[in-house]
Amino acid sequence: MVVADSRASMGGYISSQSFYRQDVQYIVKNGKALIINELTGRVEEKRRWSEGIHLAVEAKEGLPIQADSVVVAQITYQSMFKLYPKLSGMTGTAKTEDVVL
């Protein structure tokens, strides 16, 4: 997978040079490249771009390069609920409807 990783890094480098601009898509603050949400304009401190883009932006700005995050498991809420034989819940309207029940 070294070839695939180097292609992703090269693509991230080209994208970071061409499409990702400081103070538009990201800001540099306290030695970190922080993403600006394109819809709200808010800084998202816990978010990182994937596929080597964030690493390339850090290199472009001369920042210390942090390790890429890796997703080790992923599950949907529906699949998670199917793992349990019984489900329960709460409602705020049970007391007002106790006459009907």
Side-chain angles (χ1 to χ4, degrees), residues 43-57:
V43 176
E44 298 183 351
E45 296 189 21
K46 303 285 184 185
R47 191 171 151 211
R48 288 180 63 84
W49 288 306
S50 61
E51 300 179 7
I53 294 173
H54 209 95
L55 302 174
V57 167

Side-chain angles (χ1 to χ4, degrees), residues 2-94:
V2 174
V3 174
D5 289 341
S6 63
R7 281 192 210 144
S9 297
M10 185 58 79
Y13 173 77
I14 293 169
S15 294
S16 72
Q17 295 295 321
S18 305
F19 303 117
Y20 293 88
R21 296 179 310 244
Q22 186 175 357
D23 298 327
V24 178
Q25 280 85 15
Y26 67 93
I27 62 169
V28 176
K29 183 177 179 183
N30 297 330
K32 295 181 180 179
L34 304 174
I35 298 173
I36 299 173
N37 186 309
E38 56 214 21
L39 299 175
T40 63
R42 293 182 180 163
V43 176
E44 298 183 351
E45 296 189 21
K46 303 285 184 185
R47 191 171 151 211
R48 288 180 63 84
W49 288 306
S50 61
E51 300 179 7
I53 294 173
H54 209 95
L55 302 174
V57 167
E58 289 171 337
K60 175 176 122 176
E61 296 297 332
L63 302 171
I65 297 174
Q66 299 176 2
D68 236 354
S69 57
V70 177
V71 177
V72 292
Q74 188 171 347
I75 188 168
T76 63
Y77 284 120
Q78 291 84 358
S79 298
M80 184 183 74
F81 290 140
K82 287 180 184 177
L83 297 174
Y84 299 96
K86 293 183 180 180
L87 297 176
S88 65
M90 295 181 67
T91 180
T93 59

